[in-house]
Amino acid sequence: MQEIGERSGHDKSTCQRMAHTLAQLGYLDQCATTRRYALADRVLDLSYAFLRHHPLIERATPILMDLRRSCDARVDLSLFSQASLVYALRLQARAEHYYTNLVGRRIPLFCSAGGRAVLATLTEPEARALVTVEDRRPLTRFTRTGIEDVMTAVAEARRDGYAVAAHEVIEDEIVIAVALTDAARRPFGALHVAGEAGRWGGPDEIARILPGLMRAAALVSGAPA
């Protein structure tokens, strides 16, 4: 309970009431031995309801399936949320670490290909402000954390229309991403294609994948492909 209080900023009695209520509703389980709480499986009902009724996910799923077939690599759709990206749709092409197929992971903008693609659609002051306030702790030994280094990568994505990140979120993985934008050209997410560094990621492979990724992003965004 102390940990819940520290993270939430509420006093112990308030945390106890909230935890008890969530446990009664089935969203928390309490260990009989340690008395510690953990998320219960009913939380998955919320994920299912969100994904099942989200029009973007419904529209994007067949598009991403086609993209996966053409690229022969994992494809992901992420949503721009609270200065980060949240994976909402992930389609593996082959056996990978199990967590790369899980939706719901929140990733930083500053070090991810999708994040930099999103930042590139914003004005330079808007993008810099988001990067400056981010917690830029490295996710791998290759993660670029300096503000100017990140802004250079964002400028390259703005120039090219896509972003590439190598080894920065997961070591030995290269990701190509394109931002998803609405009719006002404001970003609401990104499409990612990810593969093992030893298998692909060179200029020729990027050139092969990029046209299909761009078409898919246009279709998901609702623009003419």
PDB file of all heavy atoms in Angstrom, residues 101-113:
ATOM      1  N   ASN A 101       4.853  -8.782 -29.482  1.00  0.00           N
ATOM      2  CA  ASN A 101       3.525  -8.994 -30.051  1.00  0.00           C
ATOM      3  C   ASN A 101       2.416  -8.475 -29.133  1.00  0.00           C
ATOM      4  O   ASN A 101       1.244  -8.622 -29.433  1.00  0.00           O
ATOM      5  CB  ASN A 101       3.298 -10.491 -30.318  1.00  0.00           C
ATOM      6  CG  ASN A 101       2.149 -10.756 -31.267  1.00  0.00           C
ATOM      7  OD1 ASN A 101       1.950 -10.031 -32.236  1.00  0.00           O
ATOM      8  ND2 ASN A 101       1.377 -11.790 -30.991  1.00  0.00           N
ATOM      9  N   LEU A 102       2.800  -7.849 -28.021  1.00  0.00           N
ATOM     10  CA  LEU A 102       1.828  -7.395 -27.038  1.00  0.00           C
ATOM     11  C   LEU A 102       1.447  -5.940 -27.281  1.00  0.00           C
ATOM     12  O   LEU A 102       2.325  -5.079 -27.423  1.00  0.00           O
ATOM     13  CB  LEU A 102       2.389  -7.539 -25.626  1.00  0.00           C
ATOM     14  CG  LEU A 102       2.788  -8.954 -25.191  1.00  0.00           C
ATOM     15  CD1 LEU A 102       3.361  -8.921 -23.787  1.00  0.00           C
ATOM     16  CD2 LEU A 102       1.580  -9.889 -25.259  1.00  0.00           C
ATOM     17  N   VAL A 103       0.148  -5.678 -27.316  1.00  0.00           N
ATOM     18  CA  VAL A 103      -0.309  -4.296 -27.430  1.00  0.00           C
ATOM     19  C   VAL A 103      -0.281  -3.655 -26.045  1.00  0.00           C
ATOM     20  O   VAL A 103      -0.193  -4.328 -25.018  1.00  0.00           O
ATOM     21  CB  VAL A 103      -1.732  -4.226 -28.029  1.00  0.00           C
ATOM     22  CG1 VAL A 103      -1.757  -4.831 -29.405  1.00  0.00           C
ATOM     23  CG2 VAL A 103      -2.737  -4.910 -27.112  1.00  0.00           C
ATOM     24  N   GLY A 104      -0.348  -2.328 -26.036  1.00  0.00           N
ATOM     25  CA  GLY A 104      -0.405  -1.597 -24.777  1.00  0.00           C
ATOM     26  C   GLY A 104       0.908  -1.035 -24.301  1.00  0.00           C
ATOM     27  O   GLY A 104       0.924  -0.225 -23.363  1.00  0.00           O
ATOM     28  N   ARG A 105       2.022  -1.444 -24.923  1.00  0.00           N
ATOM     29  CA  ARG A 105       3.289  -0.895 -24.478  1.00  0.00           C
ATOM     30  C   ARG A 105       3.389   0.571 -24.884  1.00  0.00           C
ATOM     31  O   ARG A 105       3.093   0.939 -26.008  1.00  0.00           O
ATOM     32  CB  ARG A 105       4.472  -1.659 -25.080  1.00  0.00           C
ATOM     33  CG  ARG A 105       5.808  -1.139 -24.534  1.00  0.00           C
ATOM     34  CD  ARG A 105       7.019  -1.736 -25.191  1.00  0.00           C
ATOM     35  NE  ARG A 105       8.226  -1.192 -24.594  1.00  0.00           N
ATOM     36  CZ  ARG A 105       9.473  -1.435 -25.024  1.00  0.00           C
ATOM     37  NH1 ARG A 105       9.648  -2.238 -26.058  1.00  0.00           N
ATOM     38  NH2 ARG A 105      10.515  -0.886 -24.441  1.00  0.00           N
ATOM     39  N   ARG A 106       3.823   1.392 -23.943  1.00  0.00           N
ATOM     40  CA  ARG A 106       4.017   2.816 -24.188  1.00  0.00           C
ATOM     41  C   ARG A 106       5.508   3.061 -24.413  1.00  0.00           C
ATOM     42  O   ARG A 106       6.338   2.652 -23.598  1.00  0.00           O
ATOM     43  CB  ARG A 106       3.505   3.629 -22.996  1.00  0.00           C
ATOM     44  CG  ARG A 106       3.435   5.130 -23.239  1.00  0.00           C
ATOM     45  CD  ARG A 106       2.779   5.825 -22.045  1.00  0.00           C
ATOM     46  NE  ARG A 106       1.379   5.474 -21.921  1.00  0.00           N
ATOM     47  CZ  ARG A 106       0.398   6.126 -22.527  1.00  0.00           C
ATOM     48  NH1 ARG A 106       0.664   7.173 -23.311  1.00  0.00           N
ATOM     49  NH2 ARG A 106      -0.861   5.743 -22.365  1.00  0.00           N
ATOM     50  N   ILE A 107       5.839   3.706 -25.533  1.00  0.00           N
ATOM     51  CA  ILE A 107       7.248   3.947 -25.854  1.00  0.00           C
ATOM     52  C   ILE A 107       7.493   5.445 -26.017  1.00  0.00           C
ATOM     53  O   ILE A 107       6.609   6.198 -26.406  1.00  0.00           O
ATOM     54  CB  ILE A 107       7.684   3.199 -27.139  1.00  0.00           C
ATOM     55  CG1 ILE A 107       6.815   3.598 -28.327  1.00  0.00           C
ATOM     56  CG2 ILE A 107       7.661   1.707 -26.922  1.00  0.00           C
ATOM     57  CD1 ILE A 107       7.323   3.050 -29.649  1.00  0.00           C
ATOM     58  N   PRO A 108       8.706   5.887 -25.708  1.00  0.00           N
ATOM     59  CA  PRO A 108       9.012   7.317 -25.803  1.00  0.00           C
ATOM     60  C   PRO A 108       9.058   7.791 -27.254  1.00  0.00           C
ATOM     61  O   PRO A 108       9.316   7.019 -28.176  1.00  0.00           O
ATOM     62  CB  PRO A 108      10.404   7.430 -25.156  1.00  0.00           C
ATOM     63  CG  PRO A 108      10.631   6.141 -24.431  1.00  0.00           C
ATOM     64  CD  PRO A 108       9.846   5.113 -25.165  1.00  0.00           C
ATOM     65  N   LEU A 109       8.831   9.066 -27.435  1.00  0.00           N
ATOM     66  CA  LEU A 109       8.953   9.667 -28.759  1.00  0.00           C
ATOM     67  C   LEU A 109      10.410   9.820 -29.170  1.00  0.00           C
ATOM     68  O   LEU A 109      10.766   9.621 -30.336  1.00  0.00           O
ATOM     69  CB  LEU A 109       8.280  11.041 -28.778  1.00  0.00           C
ATOM     70  CG  LEU A 109       6.775  11.113 -28.534  1.00  0.00           C
ATOM     71  CD1 LEU A 109       6.327  12.573 -28.498  1.00  0.00           C
ATOM     72  CD2 LEU A 109       6.007  10.351 -29.598  1.00  0.00           C
ATOM     73  N   PHE A 110      11.269  10.184 -28.228  1.00  0.00           N
ATOM     74  CA  PHE A 110      12.608  10.667 -28.587  1.00  0.00           C
ATOM     75  C   PHE A 110      13.491   9.605 -29.223  1.00  0.00           C
ATOM     76  O   PHE A 110      14.338   9.924 -30.073  1.00  0.00           O
ATOM     77  CB  PHE A 110      13.310  11.262 -27.357  1.00  0.00           C
ATOM     78  CG  PHE A 110      13.883  10.240 -26.414  1.00  0.00           C
ATOM     79  CD1 PHE A 110      15.213   9.871 -26.486  1.00  0.00           C
ATOM     80  CD2 PHE A 110      13.090   9.662 -25.435  1.00  0.00           C
ATOM     81  CE1 PHE A 110      15.738   8.942 -25.604  1.00  0.00           C
ATOM     82  CE2 PHE A 110      13.604   8.736 -24.548  1.00  0.00           C
ATOM     83  CZ  PHE A 110      14.940   8.363 -24.635  1.00  0.00           C
ATOM     84  N   CYS A 111      13.296   8.325 -28.869  1.00  0.00           N
ATOM     85  CA  CYS A 111      14.228   7.304 -29.341  1.00  0.00           C
ATOM     86  C   CYS A 111      13.614   6.303 -30.296  1.00  0.00           C
ATOM     87  O   CYS A 111      14.319   5.442 -30.825  1.00  0.00           O
ATOM     88  CB  CYS A 111      14.852   6.569 -28.162  1.00  0.00           C
ATOM     89  SG  CYS A 111      13.650   5.654 -27.154  1.00  0.00           S
ATOM     90  N   SER A 112      12.313   6.377 -30.534  1.00  0.00           N
ATOM     91  CA  SER A 112      11.654   5.409 -31.411  1.00  0.00           C
ATOM     92  C   SER A 112      11.469   5.991 -32.806  1.00  0.00           C
ATOM     93  O   SER A 112      11.307   7.202 -32.977  1.00  0.00           O
ATOM     94  CB  SER A 112      10.291   5.013 -30.833  1.00  0.00           C
ATOM     95  OG  SER A 112       9.444   6.139 -30.693  1.00  0.00           O
ATOM     96  N   ALA A 113      11.501   5.115 -33.804  1.00  0.00           N
ATOM     97  CA  ALA A 113      11.298   5.582 -35.176  1.00  0.00           C
ATOM     98  C   ALA A 113       9.923   6.216 -35.322  1.00  0.00           C
ATOM     99  O   ALA A 113       9.769   7.275 -35.937  1.00  0.00           O
ATOM    100  CB  ALA A 113      11.463   4.413 -36.152  1.00  0.00           C
TER     101      ALA A 113
END
